[in-house]
Amino acid sequence: FGMSDRLLEAYLQLNPLVVVQPEYAIHDRAGGLVQGLVRAQDLVTRVGFTEAKRVPEVRETLVILGTHIVRDVAPNAWVDDMRKRVDAALRDGKRVLVTGIRFPNELQLIRDLGGSAGWVVRPGHPVSTNLADPSEHSLTATDFDLVVLNSDTGADLEVKAHRLIPDLFGVGAAGARAA
């Protein structure tokens, strides 16, 4: 599960027009170039959520909606939603991985549920210096139980994650189930 899953759903329902400036043009999955005016749903469908967030306008809109609107009104809204989702998965006997922990109350949720938390370091992806955005500086690597270096591909990170399963869940990797 991702802490921002519900935020993505809300963003796609709003489906704003996004201006992809030439300097942020992205190649889509078919090899085409995405730039200019594009609807959020089309952008995410063509390039994926992770790539779409590299467009500054997308990230800014997500921060405004997720942090400055929702969290300002209900600081635990995302945490309460994630608790329900995780509780349901655990009741079904599933093991759970939650991504995108950015705030102390989100990290506390993981600990309250008996989980461990890892900070992923991505060389070549600078840490934001936007001090106006609390989602970029509320937590640091020292707040987490372990630090994982992601210097390769997403597939390599997945291999590293599977190697950590015995430490995190106390079971063999074959016994773990993803939620």
Side-chain angles (χ1 to χ4, degrees), residues 17 73 98 100:
L17 272 173
V73 171
V98 178

Side-chain angles (χ1 to χ4, degrees), residues 7-27:
L7 176 60
L8 172 60
E9 290 172 12
Y11 179 70
L12 293 177
Q13 285 180 3
L14 291 171
N15 199 23
L17 272 173
V18 177
V19 179
V20 181
Q21 300 292 343
E23 62 268 27
Y24 295 105
I26 306 170
H27 287 291

Side-chain angles (χ1 to χ4, degrees), residues 25-35 45-48:
I26 306 170
H27 287 291
D28 65 18
R29 294 174 176 145
L33 195 62
V34 180
Q35 66 180 7
T45 298
R46 290 175 65 188
V47 304

Side-chain angles (χ1 to χ4, degrees), residues 26 40 54 64 68 94 110 136 157 175:
I26 306 170
R54 293 181 187 215
I64 290 167
H68 302 298
K94 296 179 180 176
I110 301 306
E136 298 292 346
L157 179 61

